[in-house]
Amino acid sequence: MITASRNMWVSLFLFSAGAVTLPVNAAQISTLSTGECQLMTKAGVISVTAPVPCQRLRKVTFNYRDFAGKAHTNGKLVVMDAVAPYVGKIFDELYKEGFPIHKAVPIEMYDGDDTRSMTANNTSAFNYRPVAGSNSLSLHAYGAAIDINPLQNPFVTFGSNGNVKFSPVQGTRYANRAQYRFGKPDSRGMAETVIAIFARHGFQYWGGFWDSPIDYQHFQLTKDMALTMSKMTPAQATLFFQRYVAWYDSCSKMYPTAYSHYKFNDYVEYLKHQLSVKSLHTAYSANPQRVMDAIKLQPVRSAICVKR
């Protein structure tokens, strides 16, 4: 008993010191309980008018290390069902690579207030809300976007008078996006270092690519894709996203520089080309079977992987 007790205290000490190494492939996917859905509703994070109901959402629980190197087992994000396994893979890879995350709790802990969540440097995903400064629904409202380390990756807007605003305001210290600078400590936790990991698992669109605003913390699917998946059955959306990720993998092997040179056509563009349509979600609404038949066919990899 004395030996067992001593071992227990040693283990606790190592864990508290952040010295333990947790399993890399440990992300878990679970449905949301009735109580969790009620909590989200009470916090204003979801409502009956949301394009993705609570039954279509999944909780991804994952391991991560904070900026002090301490290991945590309680990272949590809520996302759409079809993307959840891939989000788990993203955060397993981030843990493996030693990418630090300050914290990750569902945004109902902040009553759905994105500003409070950003100020707390909280990594988050689902939130039924509009895009900041507009009436258009955010991709977060579909569980199809992730914001990571908002302090290190601020949301930057530009006023007509030339003023620049950083959200959170403390993010101004990360205005210079160089990870390594002469005479300065290394900047850690910045999204630029993990773009490829997100892209490999389906989140190929990064807000840091935008001109105005610039949203360094933000990774997403396209709106057309999110709208389409929200109209699909879970099984259809799962197959669609599997094809989407496989398309990126195949195109990356055929044209290794297509994505890094920002000349990549994603699987949605391929499907629109095959179906001769301008909008995939409109095509699905008009004829779901036609779209699903196209998805079920094995894609023909060609130069359409690359923008001309």
Side-chain angles (χ1 to χ4, degrees):
M1 287 297 293
I2 294 175
T3 301
S5 178
R6 179 178 181 276
N7 288 340
M8 179 185 72
W9 284 109
V10 169
S11 297
L12 287 172
F13 172 77
L14 288 173
F15 183 82
S16 65
V20 295
T21 299
L22 301 173
V24 173
N25 299 314
Q28 297 180 347
I29 315 301
S30 58
T31 57
L32 296 174
S33 68
T34 300
E36 287 172 320
C37 291
Q38 290 173 343
L39 178 62
M40 291 170 67
T41 302
K42 184 177 180 180
V45 173
I46 195 170
S47 78
V48 293
T49 59
V52 178
C54 207
Q55 294 74 20
R56 285 287 310 272
L57 297 174
R58 296 293 181 269
K59 179 172 62 180
V60 183
T61 305
F62 55 89
N63 298 334
Y64 70 94
R65 286 194 182 276
D66 62 25
F67 283 81
K70 182 178 178 180
H72 299 262
T73 61
N74 60 346
K76 290 182 175 64
L77 291 177
V78 175
V79 294
M80 187 190 291
D81 49 12
V83 307
Y86 298 90
V87 171
K89 291 177 182 179
I90 288 171
F91 283 87
D92 280 346
E93 282 201 44
L94 296 185
Y95 179 76
K96 180 181 178 181
E97 295 296 321
F99 181 84
I101 294 171
H102 180 70
K103 68 187 301 186
V105 299
I107 205 164
E108 54 265 30
M109 300 298 105
Y110 300 96
D111 295 322
D113 188 327
D114 190 48
T115 299
R116 286 176 55 199
S117 180
M118 286 194 294
T119 301
N121 202 14
N122 180 51
T123 293
S124 65
F126 180 82
N127 190 9
Y128 178 45
R129 64 171 177 82
V131 175
S134 80
N135 294 320
S136 176
L137 274 185
S138 165
L139 269 296
H140 289 283
Y142 296 84
I146 298 170
D147 287 346
I148 191 164
N149 289 341
L151 173 61
Q152 288 75 23
N153 303 291
F155 177 68
V156 185
T157 55
F158 303 89
S160 58
N161 58 359
N163 288 344
V164 181
K165 179 182 178 182
F166 286 75
S167 299
V169 67
Q170 297 91 338
T172 53
R173 75 183 76 163
Y174 291 92
N176 188 314
R177 303 304 295 172
Q179 185 178 6
Y180 306 108
R181 291 189 288 159
F182 184 76
K184 303 285 185 180
D186 296 350
S187 294
R188 300 168 61 234
M190 296 200 304
E192 287 88 334
T193 62
V194 295
I195 293 171
I197 292 175
F198 275 84
R200 277 200 303 274
H201 299 295
F203 286 76
Q204 294 155 15
Y205 295 91
W206 176 50
F209 292 148
W210 303 343
D211 291 327
S212 179
I214 302 174
D215 199 354
Y216 292 113
Q217 65 199 255
H218 185 84
F219 290 91
Q220 66 170 56
L221 313 184
T222 65
K223 190 68 168 282
D224 193 15
M225 185 171 186
L227 281 165
T228 304
M229 292 172 70
S230 70
K231 297 174 186 293
M232 290 176 163
T233 67
Q236 289 175 337
T238 296
L239 175 62
F240 181 23
F241 201 70
Q242 287 173 347
R243 294 289 203 201
Y244 183 83
V245 173
W247 171 266
Y248 176 84
D249 180 63
S250 178
C251 286
S252 296
K253 290 174 181 175
M254 292 177 67
Y255 305 96
T257 62
Y259 182 77
S260 61
H261 290 180
Y262 316 121
K263 294 182 178 180
F264 177 72
N265 274 321
D266 68 16
Y267 182 58
V268 173
E269 294 303 312
Y270 167 78
L271 288 174
K272 289 193 296 185
H273 175 79
Q274 294 297 101
L275 295 167
S276 299
V277 299
K278 293 183 178 180
S279 163
L280 193 63
H281 76 270
T282 301
Y284 181 86
S285 296
N287 192 337
Q289 191 59 52
R290 181 169 181 251
V291 173
M292 291 311 303
D293 286 345
I295 290 171
K296 290 173 184 176
L297 290 174
Q298 191 65 30
V300 178
R301 271 68 175 183
S302 66
I304 198 173
C305 286
V306 182
K307 294 182 186 293
R308 298 301 182 185

